[in-house]
Amino acid sequence: MISIASTRVPLIPPEDIPLEDKKENEFGQLTSQEYLYQGKSRDGKALQDPILDAPAYHVTLITYLNYLILIILGHIHDHLGLTFQKERHKDIMEQDGLAPWYSAFESFYVRRLKQRIDDCFSRPTTGVPGRFIRCIDRVSHSLNDYFTYTGETSMCLNLSSYNYLGFAQSEGQCTTAGLEATDKYGVYSSGPRTRIGTTDLHVSAERYVARFVGKGDAMLFSMGYGTNANFFNSFLDSKCLVISDALNHASIRTGVRLSGAAVKTFKHNDMGALEKLIREQIVQGQSKTHRPWKKIVICVEGLYSMEGTMANLPRLVELKRKYKCYLFVDEAHSIGAMGPTGRGVCDFFGIDPSDIDIMMGTLTKSFGAAGGYIAADKWVIDRFRLDLTTPQYGEPTPAPVLAQIITSLKTITGEVNPGEGQERLQRIAFNARYLRLALQRLGFIVYGIADSPVVPMLLYAPSKMPAFSRMMLQRKIAVVVVAYPATPLIESRVRLCVSAALTKEDIDYLLQHINEVGDKLFLKVSTGKAGGSLDGKPPRWDIEEVIKRTPADCKDDSFFRI
Amino acid sequence: MIDSADVPEVLPSSIPVPSAVVSTASYLWFYFITFFKMIPGAHYVIDYVKKSHQDDPYRTFVEVLLILYSIVYFLSKPKKKGAVDQPKLSEKEIDNLIEEWEPEPIVIPDERTEWRLAKIPVVEGSGADNVINITRNDGNEAYSSVFNLCSFNFLQISRDPAVVKLAKEIIRNYGVGSCGPAGFYGNEDVHYNLEHDLASFFGTENSVLYGQDFCIASSVIPAFTKRGDVIVADDKISVSAQNALQLGRPTVYYYKHNDMASLENLLHELDEAEKKEKLPAIPRKFIVTEGLFHRTGEIAPLPELVQLKRKYKYRLFVDETFSIGVLGATGRGLTEYFNMERATSIDITVGSLATAIGSSGGFVLGDNVMARHQRIGSNAYCFSASLPPYAVRTASAVLQIMDADNSSVTKLRHLSNTLFELFHGDKDLMQYIEVTSHRDSSVLHFQLTAEQRKLKFNSSIESVFQESQYQQQHCISDYYLEAWEEEELLLQRIVDSALQDANVLISRDTVVLKQETLPLTPNISICCNSSMEESQLLDAYNGIRSAVIKHCSGS
């Protein structure tokens, strides 16, 4: 039996290294002016309809077969376990007249499939999740039943954190501001916003956020998920309709469900289907009574975190105007990371923010802080301040986080350290385009649009997920693998999150290893029709050639389909 | 070439059919059979059909009909459900309907309720200090050196210089944000250590950290309930738990607030009903209540609850947002207050790190199996970034101090009792107001007495609730309750007077009435903390007292 002490994650003391090295580990210095890309606004031009690259039939077949084998083995395992090892399966059986916490059927996928690869998730880390992330080494026991820790750590190249602009740092202006705020305001923020929780720092942070996104006013919340989950009930009821993209985040779905509003979904980014649905709904009205809807809200995300695709904003604005609907855009991943000046999707498409009724976003990602915001016209926000539950009952954003938000915003706009924000934006744009085009040229299937800092690379067979994740960890690269239910059943993928903190050489290192692992796991299955090939042949470039030619090519839009 | 002699005649010559038809049919049949025989194993099928026809010719007829019907059915166009009574509209009519449709504005501004905006205090500096400077109404009103009776930082331990120093050290080593959800490299060593510290401090097997206290209940309960599960809840639970019951879609029953007889009756009834029903499996059953109630400050009778939950095989869910750090000799909450063990009495405890512990976020305590499932099934855990590392480390440090030294808990209790005695023992005040909170609650809640409510506004808790329910159910867009609004205004005048005349900051319990699905009354709360002095409380009490009397006496 293993003692409890050894299964406890150890507290790792900070590394004793020179300040320069520490800074470099958190945010790599730019190695050449060549490795920057200044994005341009699209001036209201809509996106082309996306092409999805599908793999050959045998890949799909193998993937299904893979699931079949896992499911059959799982059922055999369950059957034997419940017959011979009752002691170990107490958690799914009734006990003393109490129902189990979860039923055997509900938890089958988690117990028999996910648990096999649990070592790829929830890896404990320490320190700053910047350019490198320090993973704490662990040893798995009894098929990931529990882990023990050796006390060692490995520095891994970080392709997993949502550190888009590289503001996860422990040195620099943001940290200084955070420390000053801790001195002045303490770590604690006293109570709900409407009672005592509003400080002058909240007011100024809200002003900065509103100005940054181009709206009249904004509200801040201490948690991104909670922002959405407790938002929609403030202005929707069961006589309102929400038209939601099929791939919207769970927080939006929870929030809408809580509001009681009717929900209709349309196929991801399919603007034709959306228009048809809106027309039908306005004509038909409420589902039973056929009375007209009180209001219709279209909910989309700016950048989809599992797909790397973007909402087709110009088309959405056109539809919204034509049919008098309201538009809600969740910019969790796009704010800060997209657009020539980092102001998100509006900036990217060159659309006036006043065309979007409600803009929501998180501050966890690009700004290296925590929480979320909602921005709208002032008269709308004034109402929200009274009708939303979080500010009346929940905790407010703490001061150090606010200081981080304000300082990172000022850095992006150039009020602090002029030029630094611009460089960060140019670096992430270059890194995202370089990695994407390089992977496509190597022959991998990659989803999403050219400038997306989220680069999802398809693995298909579920068994390739742990293989990929473990092989990358051996090569000191931290990646995130995702599968069903976050993606369609057969489209298991690895999600690479590009950061401005990475240098071009880091991406070269990454590409060399992905290339090797990709060959071993037979991941190069693209046909090239969605990108990476101009002649219609499946691209299978040599790695040297890719690294030599892509940095220049990736700045050219003609190599992408956007 | 096929010899015509080989082709059998499929129709008997006795029936008068044109010979061209007969021969065509014969040829078609012949080719069909010939090709059919080429398929391996086809002769078995033919033998079988022949034999079956021999035994029962009628059956062949029925089967042929069936095959024909299935072909016709397969080829026919499916009819849309409900499409029958929908009139077919022309494009022009559709365009007209779209043109005619006028949506409501996204929100409806309402001046009758917006006075509240101007009453939100903006603190210069930390709102956790005892003496603060505030402004209101967009900076138009300013008050300096106000005595603050609103802060939830009851124990004040997180303001200890050593704790702040540690928090700053963590920011220097970890940065501010964690930049990822728990499952994807977001949980760092400090997070796992706090989970361990919480579990060992409260004596449970495991604990799970969340990013915001308000989200926890509404995420945890739905993770464990689905249609058919049963929840029996106190009828004064907070909005967070009310939301949870709505999201989880269980069957919900309410018992009368803290009334164990009512609970027992209900459980007994449900038990009888279940015995009659004979379900294939036992549904999951929970009793949902709070340690110290958000709205009233009363304490839930844990021993009786535990006894009932054991008797009727329920699990107990307790929201301890306000009781942790406040109740019990060392601040271990409701269980310590009643001298019980947490691990064996409460199945799911929800606590906040943003009240007495004085950091950010919240947590859930319980056994390993529950915690493990929660890490996969609870939305607010899976889909949200982890807490900032400094907040987590601060909480660990506070727990360590609480474990070593309970002086602030003791002092807090003493002050809470003092405050309670001051108000509760005041005969003059009790004509107008009623203190609902328990003497050990660090938040003192008071509201108008039922008689005053009747006298001043001609309303009661029931009449307000009925009106509110009506408006909620009919989705009235300009939701407004006059009696409620007037009572809130009266309470706000008390708050304002206390601020202007006595320089004391107290607050109404801010609520969103249209989200509340249970009866409630307007309320004022007064929070004390362990760094206050008795004399300060006495001064504040005098100020509040005169404010109450000023606005409540006279009709």
Side-chain angles (χ1 to χ4, degrees):
Chain A
M1 196 57 209
I2 302 255
S3 71
I4 291 176
S6 63
T7 61
R8 180 176 179 173
V9 181
L11 259 184
I12 306 290
E15 265 183 323
D16 190 19
I17 49 171
L19 187 65
E20 281 311 305
D21 292 1
K22 188 180 167 201
K23 277 188 180 166
E24 193 65 23
N25 282 346
E26 289 168 5
F27 192 87
Q29 287 298 311
L30 184 66
T31 47
S32 154
Q33 292 297 323
E34 289 291 297
Y35 306 142
L36 293 174
Y37 172 76
Q38 176 59 50
K40 288 176 288 290
S41 160
R42 288 175 67 87
D43 292 326
K45 201 166 117 236
L47 292 173
Q48 292 178 36
D49 285 334
I51 294 183
L52 277 192
D53 200 350
Y57 286 112
H58 71 271
V59 177
T60 314
L61 195 72
I62 285 171
T63 309
Y64 277 119
L65 210 62
N66 197 173
Y67 269 109
L68 193 70
I69 292 169
L70 284 169
I71 289 170
I72 291 172
L73 280 179
H75 278 295
I76 294 173
H77 204 151
D78 250 13
H79 188 73
L80 291 176
L82 285 169
T83 317
F84 299 110
Q85 284 185 311
K86 287 209 165 104
E87 272 304 297
R88 290 189 58 184
H89 293 80
K90 274 189 168 162
D91 50 342
I92 50 168
M93 296 192 294
E94 286 178 7
Q95 280 189 335
D96 319 324
L98 284 175
W101 282 106
Y102 43 88
S103 73
F105 174 75
E106 281 171 300
S107 61
F108 178 81
Y109 181 81
V110 169
R111 286 182 296 117
R112 294 299 178 212
L113 274 71
K114 182 176 171 288
Q115 201 186 342
R116 288 169 172 270
I117 58 169
D118 260 353
D119 61 316
C120 303
F121 303 109
S122 301
R123 288 188 182 129
T125 63
T126 182
V128 177
R131 174 191 180 192
F132 291 97
I133 190 163
R134 234 172 125 199
C135 294
I136 300 171
D137 296 349
R138 56 181 184 181
V139 185
S140 164
H141 299 271
S142 321
L143 203 68
N144 300 330
D145 199 24
Y146 61 94
F147 297 94
T148 52
Y149 300 87
T150 57
E152 304 283 306
T153 58
S154 349
M155 273 302 232
C156 296
L157 191 66
N158 188 2
L159 270 301
S160 60
S161 297
Y162 305 130
N163 176 28
Y164 296 132
L165 291 182
F167 280 111
Q169 283 171 296
S170 65
E171 296 296 335
Q173 67 275 24
C174 293
T175 312
T176 314
L179 293 173
E180 279 167 12
T182 314
D183 276 334
K184 186 173 173 203
Y185 297 89
V187 289
Y188 178 67
S189 42
S190 57
R193 282 291 300 275
T194 46
R195 291 198 193 184
I196 183 72
T198 308
T199 65
D200 47 344
L201 202 58
H202 287 90
V203 176
S204 84
E206 284 178 347
R207 226 166 262 159
Y208 272 110
V209 170
R211 207 174 68 192
F212 184 72
V213 300
K215 278 289 186 189
D217 203 353
M219 285 171 85
L220 296 186
F221 303 87
S222 71
M223 184 194 198
Y225 169 88
T227 310
N228 274 336
N230 291 308
F231 171 59
F232 293 92
N233 54 358
S234 64
F235 70 111
L236 297 178
D237 55 43
S238 56
K239 291 183 180 172
C240 301
L241 175 71
V242 171
I243 296 185
S244 170
D245 190 289
L247 295 182
N248 275 350
H249 191 251
S251 58
I252 300 181
R253 281 180 277 153
T254 310
V256 171
R257 219 173 90 197
L258 191 60
S259 74
V263 190
K264 302 276 174 207
T265 52
F266 62 95
K267 196 179 147 228
H268 175 55
N269 260 353
D270 185 341
M271 292 300 122
L274 172 63
E275 179 161 15
K276 207 170 143 233
L277 185 63
I278 300 175
R279 289 178 72 88
E280 188 189 301
Q281 286 302 322
I282 294 179
V283 172
Q284 289 300 327
Q286 296 175 35
S287 52
K288 276 182 191 157
T289 59
H290 296 286
R291 300 280 188 282
W293 294 110
K294 271 168 49 171
K295 43 196 157 188
I296 299 181
V297 182
I298 306 170
C299 289
V300 294
E301 284 187 44
L303 179 69
Y304 289 83
S305 65
M306 290 294 168
E307 311 291 316
T309 49
M310 282 183 92
N312 204 345
L313 205 57
R315 288 280 292 130
L316 281 164
V317 169
E318 196 184 300
L319 289 178
K320 165 221 141 147
R321 281 210 194 121
K322 188 168 165 196
Y323 295 106
K324 294 174 273 191
C325 301
Y326 300 110
L327 184 58
F328 168 94
V329 181
D330 176 342
E331 293 215 63
H333 289 264
S334 53
I335 191 71
M338 302 290 292
T341 58
R343 285 172 166 82
V345 279
C346 287
D347 195 21
F348 180 83
F349 284 107
I351 286 200
D352 188 347
S354 63
D355 285 328
I356 301 179
D357 298 277
I358 301 167
M359 298 167 92
M360 179 270 168
T362 62
L363 303 158
T364 316
K365 289 152 188 150
S366 300
F367 307 109
Y373 68 84
I374 281 171
D377 295 338
K378 185 158 187 332
W379 65 276
V380 180
I381 290 290
D382 275 350
R383 197 62 230 169
F384 284 154
R385 284 189 199 278
L386 297 177
D387 284 354
L388 265 147
T389 44
T390 317
Q392 322 263 346
Y393 306 91
E395 55 175 305
T397 318
V401 174
L402 291 172
Q404 170 88 20
I405 294 167
I406 294 175
T407 320
S408 55
L409 275 178
K410 280 184 177 169
T411 310
I412 298 172
T413 56
E415 281 166 67
V416 168
N417 291 5
E420 186 189 321
Q422 195 60 21
E423 189 196 298
R424 284 177 192 252
L425 286 166
Q426 291 177 346
R427 282 180 69 173
I428 190 173
F430 172 82
N431 287 351
R433 290 173 84 101
Y434 175 36
L435 179 61
R436 178 174 299 272
L437 188 60
L439 288 175
Q440 282 175 340
R441 285 181 164 174
L442 286 171
F444 296 101
I445 297 186
V446 181
Y447 283 173
I449 69 153
D451 297 86
S452 153
V454 178
V455 185
M457 195 181 104
L458 275 290
L459 303 174
Y460 295 103
S463 302
K464 288 179 184 175
M465 284 197 307
F468 190 86
S469 177
R470 288 167 194 158
M471 283 165 99
M472 292 314 264
L473 192 67
Q474 280 168 2
R475 290 150 201 263
K476 306 281 183 221
I477 300 169
V479 295
V480 165
V481 286
V482 277
Y484 179 80
T487 69
L489 186 68
I490 65 159
E491 295 178 10
S492 304
R493 61 193 67 171
V494 50
R495 182 180 62 177
L496 305 167
C497 288
V498 179
S499 165
L502 300 174
T503 63
K504 186 250 174 195
E505 288 69 27
D506 292 337
I507 295 178
D508 293 346
Y509 175 84
L510 171 73
L511 284 171
Q512 270 156 353
H513 285 290
I514 289 191
N515 180 53
E516 250 179 73
V517 172
D519 279 334
K520 283 187 184 161
L521 297 179
F522 304 104
L523 295 175
K524 297 180 177 176
V525 292
S526 85
T527 60
K529 67 176 178 177
S533 153
L534 293 176
D535 51 7
K537 285 191 202 129
R540 297 290 182 271
W541 289 35
D542 182 64
I543 181 74
E544 299 302 328
E545 188 78 2
V546 169
I547 291 178
K548 205 168 94 196
R549 285 176 49 189
T550 316
D553 289 352
C554 76
K555 296 180 187 177
D556 185 349
D557 277 349
S558 62
F559 289 98
F560 294 97
R561 185 186 159 82
I562 44 175
Chain B
M1 245 349 262
I2 302 157
D3 194 345
S4 60
D6 290 344
V7 180
E9 279 196 6
V10 279
L11 287 171
S13 51
S14 55
I15 303 171
V17 183
S19 63
V21 177
V22 174
S23 59
T24 316
S26 303
Y27 272 102
L28 280 177
W29 181 249
F30 173 76
Y31 286 126
F32 174 71
I33 292 292
T34 317
F35 283 113
F36 190 67
K37 277 180 180 164
M38 286 177 188
I39 301 169
H43 66 277
Y44 290 111
V45 180
I46 295 171
D47 284 352
Y48 174 78
V49 173
K50 270 185 183 166
K51 202 160 173 293
S52 133
H53 184 72
Q54 219 167 21
D55 293 347
D56 186 2
Y58 182 66
R59 178 174 156 177
T60 320
F61 175 69
V62 172
E63 277 174 1
V64 168
L65 274 186
L66 263 177
I67 291 169
L68 284 178
Y69 175 74
S70 62
I71 291 170
V72 169
Y73 181 82
F74 189 76
L75 293 178
S76 68
K77 268 190 180 172
K79 261 188 199 168
K80 257 192 186 168
K81 232 184 172 183
V84 193
D85 54 346
Q86 272 174 16
K88 194 104 177 107
L89 295 167
S90 69
E91 276 303 302
K92 188 143 190 273
E93 283 169 316
I94 291 177
D95 283 338
N96 281 342
L97 278 171
I98 290 170
E99 189 104 338
E100 279 164 24
W101 180 63
E102 263 317 314
E104 277 184 7
I106 193 153
V107 291
I108 301 175
D110 189 344
E111 282 181 3
R112 294 170 298 180
T113 55
E114 270 160 20
W115 55 269
R116 290 181 177 82
L117 278 176
K119 301 295 181 190
I120 299 173
V122 177
V123 187
E124 277 161 31
S126 167
D129 287 342
N130 283 342
V131 178
I132 54 176
N133 296 333
I134 61 166
T135 61
R136 299 200 305 186
N137 195 6
D138 270 341
N140 290 329
E141 293 169 48
Y143 305 90
S144 54
S145 312
V146 175
F147 187 55
N148 176 11
L149 285 165
C150 286
S151 165
F152 286 168
N153 195 355
F154 307 123
L155 294 179
Q156 297 275 327
I157 300 176
S158 68
R159 314 197 56 217
D160 186 307
V163 177
V164 176
K165 189 166 163 254
L166 180 67
K168 286 172 71 178
E169 200 183 303
I170 295 292
I171 294 180
R172 267 193 220 104
N173 289 322
Y174 289 75
V176 174
S178 62
C179 285
F184 299 146
Y185 305 86
N187 265 8
E188 306 204 36
D189 51 353
V190 286
H191 295 83
Y192 290 102
N193 274 277
L194 176 59
E195 285 181 351
H196 187 277
D197 292 345
L198 283 166
S200 64
F201 184 80
F202 291 105
T204 56
E205 282 180 3
N206 214 322
S207 86
V208 184
L209 279 181
Y210 281 81
Q212 188 186 57
D213 51 8
F214 183 63
C215 282
I216 307 177
S218 55
S219 178
V220 174
I221 297 180
F224 293 109
T225 53
K226 57 178 192 340
R227 244 178 249 286
D229 291 337
V230 177
I231 285 192
V232 176
D234 190 287
D235 69 0
K236 285 234 168 102
I237 51 171
S238 66
V239 165
S240 181
Q242 291 171 27
N243 288 346
L245 305 191
Q246 191 192 333
L247 284 172
R249 292 173 180 164
T251 322
V252 183
Y253 302 91
Y254 288 105
Y255 64 91
K256 263 183 28 212
H257 175 54
N258 271 354
D259 181 346
M260 290 302 110
S262 150
L263 175 61
E264 170 133 39
N265 281 342
L266 184 58
L267 295 181
H268 184 73
E269 252 172 61
L270 290 173
D271 199 40
E272 293 296 312
E274 196 192 308
K275 272 180 199 153
K276 272 184 207 152
E277 251 182 85
K278 288 196 184 118
L279 298 164
I282 319 175
R284 279 166 288 200
K285 293 180 275 194
F286 293 90
I287 299 173
V288 174
T289 187
E290 286 172 26
L292 265 171
F293 281 82
H294 284 62
R295 293 283 298 164
T296 64
E298 285 159 289
I299 295 180
L302 188 64
E304 289 87 348
L305 281 165
V306 171
Q307 201 191 342
L308 286 176
K309 80 146 198 167
R310 290 203 183 121
K311 184 170 166 196
Y312 291 99
K313 307 291 178 198
Y314 275 67
R315 288 192 171 96
L316 184 58
F317 173 100
V318 182
D319 183 342
E320 291 222 45
T321 301
F322 285 98
S323 49
I324 277 171
V326 174
L327 293 185
T330 58
R332 282 176 166 81
L334 194 64
T335 45
E336 195 187 20
Y337 182 82
F338 286 108
N339 282 324
M340 298 172 80
E341 261 180 59
R342 190 172 290 276
T344 53
S345 53
I346 301 180
D347 299 276
I348 308 180
T349 311
V350 168
S352 170
L353 294 171
T355 51
I357 291 171
S359 179
S360 310
F363 57 90
V364 173
L365 301 168
D367 65 24
N368 282 330
V369 177
M370 186 214 54
R372 174 178 280 210
H373 183 62
Q374 209 176 108
R375 286 177 209 274
I376 303 151
S378 177
N379 281 354
Y381 182 82
C382 299
F383 295 108
S384 184
S386 302
L387 277 168
Y390 81 85
V392 174
R393 197 75 190 95
T394 312
S396 276
V398 171
L399 286 181
Q400 211 179 354
I401 295 174
M402 280 171 77
D403 200 28
D405 167 22
N406 69 346
S407 60
S408 31
V409 180
T410 317
K411 176 141 187 243
L412 178 67
R413 171 129 354 92
H414 175 68
L415 291 173
S416 310
N417 292 345
T418 312
L419 193 66
F420 177 83
E421 297 301 341
L422 283 173
F423 278 86
H424 197 253
D426 189 328
K427 290 266 163 10
D428 293 341
L429 269 186
M430 289 304 119
Q431 291 174 29
Y432 309 114
I433 59 162
E434 172 189 6
V435 175
T436 56
S437 54
H438 189 271
R439 54 185 295 121
D440 286 346
S441 165
S442 58
V443 187
L444 181 123
H445 298 261
F446 70 80
Q447 57 188 27
L448 290 185
T449 58
E451 296 83 53
Q452 285 286 321
R453 191 170 298 119
K454 186 84 196 156
L455 191 74
K456 288 196 160 67
F457 311 109
N458 195 22
S459 71
S460 65
I461 181 166
E462 292 82 18
S463 71
V464 169
F465 180 60
Q466 268 174 13
E467 178 60 24
S468 170
Q469 284 292 88
Y470 176 86
Q471 295 199 15
Q472 281 175 14
Q473 277 157 15
H474 289 78
C475 302
I476 307 288
S477 299
D478 49 350
Y479 179 92
Y480 179 72
L481 292 174
E482 201 181 342
W484 169 275
E485 210 63 29
E486 284 180 357
E487 196 175 333
E488 282 260 287
L489 271 169
L490 175 71
L491 295 190
Q492 185 60 45
R493 281 198 292 274
I494 296 176
V495 171
D496 289 349
S497 279
L499 180 62
Q500 283 150 6
D501 304 340
N503 232 15
V504 166
L505 183 68
I506 52 174
S507 170
R508 284 174 302 110
D509 271 2
T510 52
V511 295
V512 186
L513 191 62
K514 66 175 179 181
Q515 307 297 344
E516 297 269 0
T517 54
L518 295 170
L520 80 167
T521 50
N523 224 339
I524 284 183
S525 56
I526 304 170
C527 313
C528 55
N529 70 52
S530 63
S531 68
M532 290 175 176
E533 297 304 327
E534 239 175 282
S535 57
Q536 289 176 313
L537 283 185
L538 188 66
D539 290 347
Y541 153 75
N542 284 325
I544 298 165
R545 181 178 189 274
S546 42
V548 171
I549 291 179
K550 179 175 165 193
H551 291 288
C552 289
S553 63
S555 50

